[in-house]
């Protein structure tokens, strides 16, 4: 733990997108299948200054029926979590901007454009990270979105450092980013891996350093390999980025935000949440999920979250195995009673848990 005990003297400036005040520069990233309202709200309650919804398809939003109970959870937000961003992904510029309007109508404070998703299915449909290979289309999407969205709502973008590490890919990346800032982009979040890498190999933080040197007056957030509080502060300190977005490192671990705040303010990393503290937050998460999804769907949705929460428990493997079996509230309560009744010291999130 010696590295975690290092005192960070980096001056953290409050984050701001155009005229929208964000605050502490460590925020909750968009996570497909995860960053729904309960996850974002718990991240906020535990120190995140901002969060982004799970990515939504423009086509889905344009065709979505507002009275469909099955889909209402996708657009659910609350005042407590503001400011909150809506992330959009699609292929066609015209439909993309129409989808952005739907997010504005739903009440999102920021519109975030996804040009970073590396999933093969997404790339095969000319969405997400695929746009890094076609600057003209990418810039058309940004231009149309900026025009369609009211001027007081910031438009941001999520990118990777390119399709691959070729010179051509690098040139296309900078053409898109420079053009986006000229159009009026408020901020860019850049992941230090290429689309081709997906989640394999290290995130290249040196590329983020290069970006801030090239765009010193623009808001750039970093992403990639942020699993501990010290990682968040190190990225800001080493690269000069204006903030960081925590993705996989926050699944089942909203404490990473409060831990980062404490480490930044005191130079010391707080102890991981105890078993009793974990139980309290998991129960809070379950209650929020039940409000959003209803009693029948809630347990299935919560199973994937509880599996992640179990990594902080001292009997991780056994607890995870039991959480994998939950099918209803009774099952969930039985696991809590079995493993979370006795208060004990907890664990920090293992770095390899999401690999």
């Amino acid at each position: 733990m010696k590295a975690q005990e290092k005192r960070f003297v980096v001056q953290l400036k409050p984050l701001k997108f155009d005229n929208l005040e964000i605050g502490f520069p460590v925020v909750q990233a968009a996570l497909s299948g995860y960053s729904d309202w309960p996850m974002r709200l718990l991240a906020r309650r535990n120190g995140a200054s901002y969060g982004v919804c799970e990515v939504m398809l423009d086509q889905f939003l344009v065709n979505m029926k507002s009275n469909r109970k099955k889909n209402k959870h996708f657009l659910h937000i609350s005042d407590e979590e503001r400011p909150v961003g809506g992330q959009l992904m699609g292929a066609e510029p015209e439909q993309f901007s129409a989808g952005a309007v739907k997010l504005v109508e739903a009440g999102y404070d920021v519109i975030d454009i996804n040009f970073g998703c590396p999933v093969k299915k997404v790339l095969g449909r000319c969405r997400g990270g695929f746009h890094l290979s076609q600057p003209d289309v990418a810039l058309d999407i940004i231009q149309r979105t900026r025009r369609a969205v009211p001027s007081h709502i910031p438009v941001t973008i999520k990118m990777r450092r390119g399709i691959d590490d070729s010179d051509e890919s690098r040139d296309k990346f900078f053409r898109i980013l420079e053009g986006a800032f000229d159009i009026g982009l408020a901020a860019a979040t850049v992941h230090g891996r290429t689309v081709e890498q997906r989640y394999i190999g290290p995130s290249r933080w040196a590329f983020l350093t290069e970006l801030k040197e090239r765009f010193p007056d623009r808001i750039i957030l970093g992403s990639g390999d942020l699993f501990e509080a010290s990682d968040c502060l190190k990225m800001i300190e080493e690269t000069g980025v204006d903030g960081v977005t925590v993705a996989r490192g926050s699944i089942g671990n909203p404490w990473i935000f409060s831990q980062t705040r404490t480490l930044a303010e005191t130079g010391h990393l707080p102890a991981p949440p105890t078993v009793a503290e974990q139980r309290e937050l998991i129960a809070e998460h379950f209650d929020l999920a039940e409000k959003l999804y209803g009693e029948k769907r809630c347990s299935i949705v919560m199973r994937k979250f509880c599996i992640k929460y179990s990594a902080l428990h001292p009997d991780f493997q056994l607890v995870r195995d039991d959480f994998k079996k939950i099918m209803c509230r009774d099952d969930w309560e039985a696991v809590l009673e079995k493993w979370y009744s006795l208060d004990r010291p907890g664990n920090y999130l293992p770095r390899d848990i999401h690999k």
Side-chain angles (χ1 to χ4, degrees):
M1 292 293 179
K2 288 185 178 180
Q4 293 177 320
E5 294 171 358
K6 173 186 173 183
R7 283 188 175 274
F8 288 88
V9 295
V10 60
Q11 184 67 39
L12 296 181
K13 296 180 180 179
L15 194 60
K16 188 176 181 181
F17 297 160
D18 291 340
N19 293 321
L20 181 66
E21 301 286 348
I22 301 297
F24 191 70
V26 179
V27 305
Q28 169 71 67
L31 285 157
S32 183
Y34 284 98
S35 59
D36 56 5
W37 174 66
M39 181 177 180
R40 299 192 310 267
L41 189 56
L42 288 173
R44 167 54 66 93
R45 291 176 178 177
N46 285 274
S49 58
Y50 171 70
V52 187
C53 74
E54 51 186 312
V55 64
M56 286 180 269
L57 291 177
D58 54 2
Q59 190 175 53
F60 167 77
L61 287 169
V62 171
N63 296 322
M64 180 179 176
K65 302 295 184 183
S66 59
N67 59 351
R68 286 286 299 276
K69 290 184 177 181
K70 180 180 179 180
N71 295 325
K72 69 176 183 178
H73 65 276
F74 284 111
L75 296 178
H76 186 83
I77 57 178
S78 59
D79 288 339
E80 184 183 350
E81 64 171 320
R82 294 189 185 281
V84 58
Q87 189 177 89
L88 191 61
M89 182 166 65
E92 300 298 330
E94 186 174 350
Q95 186 163 260
F96 203 105
S97 58
V101 170
K102 292 290 186 179
L103 289 178
V104 171
E105 291 173 350
Y108 286 93
D109 303 297
V110 177
I111 303 302
D112 189 54
I113 298 172
N114 184 313
F115 285 171
C117 182
V119 176
K120 289 183 179 179
K121 179 175 66 175
V122 170
L123 301 177
R125 294 174 180 171
C126 303
R127 299 167 176 159
F130 179 84
H131 289 299
L132 297 181
S133 69
Q134 47 179 11
D136 290 338
V137 175
L139 290 172
D140 191 15
I141 286 174
I142 298 169
Q143 180 76 268
R144 287 173 182 261
T145 301
R146 180 62 280 178
R147 288 175 178 170
V149 171
S151 60
H152 70 278
I153 294 182
V155 173
T156 61
I157 190 172
K158 170 66 185 293
M159 309 171 72
R160 286 187 169 231
R161 71 170 196 262
I163 292 290
D164 53 36
D165 278 321
S166 66
D167 290 339
E168 180 183 10
S169 178
R170 176 185 169 85
D171 291 343
K172 289 178 177 179
F173 172 92
F174 281 105
R175 183 180 164 197
I176 293 170
L177 188 57
E178 288 174 353
F181 282 133
D182 289 341
I183 289 168
L185 192 76
T189 296
V190 180
H191 191 296
R193 290 187 180 88
T194 64
V195 173
E196 190 178 73
Q197 272 186 276
R198 298 189 70 192
Y199 298 101
I200 300 172
S203 175
R204 189 178 295 176
W205 289 14
F207 185 75
L208 302 177
T209 303
E210 180 184 353
L211 285 182
K212 277 308 297 181
E213 290 174 349
R214 186 159 175 169
F215 302 102
D217 299 322
R218 303 294 191 176
I219 301 299
I220 294 175
L221 291 83
S223 175
D225 291 346
L226 302 175
F227 295 103
E228 300 173 358
S230 58
D231 296 333
C232 300
L233 299 185
K234 283 178 182 177
M235 178 178 278
I236 294 173
E237 182 181 40
E238 293 179 9
T239 69
V241 292
D242 301 281
V244 298
T245 62
V246 186
R248 290 178 295 160
S250 66
I251 303 175
N253 185 31
W255 294 277
I256 191 171
F257 299 105
S258 58
Q259 289 170 355
T260 305
R261 282 181 179 262
T262 300
L263 183 59
E265 293 168 1
T266 69
H268 298 289
L269 183 69
T274 66
V275 169
E277 290 169 333
Q278 292 173 40
R279 176 176 179 146
E280 182 179 358
L281 190 137
I282 294 171
E284 184 180 8
H285 194 157
F286 199 101
D287 288 342
L288 291 171
E290 193 169 60
K291 289 179 181 177
L292 185 64
Y293 296 103
E295 184 178 351
K296 290 184 178 180
R297 294 181 64 191
C298 174
S299 295
I300 303 303
V301 172
M302 278 300 297
R303 186 164 56 197
K304 63 186 178 185
F305 284 105
C306 287
I307 289 170
K308 300 298 184 182
Y309 279 122
S310 68
L312 304 177
H313 195 284
D315 294 313
F316 161 49
Q317 299 285 354
L318 296 173
V319 178
R320 181 184 62 179
D321 289 344
D322 278 356
F323 270 137
K324 286 181 178 179
K325 302 171 187 175
I326 64 172
M327 296 295 292
C328 63
R329 176 177 269 275
D330 288 344
D331 293 341
W332 169 76
E333 290 181 344
V335 176
L336 285 193
E337 183 64 26
K338 178 179 180 180
W339 294 110
Y340 290 85
S341 293
L342 179 65
D343 194 15
R344 300 157 61 189
N347 297 327
Y348 291 108
L349 186 74
R351 292 193 66 85
D352 61 351
I353 192 65
H354 296 293
K355 292 183 178 180

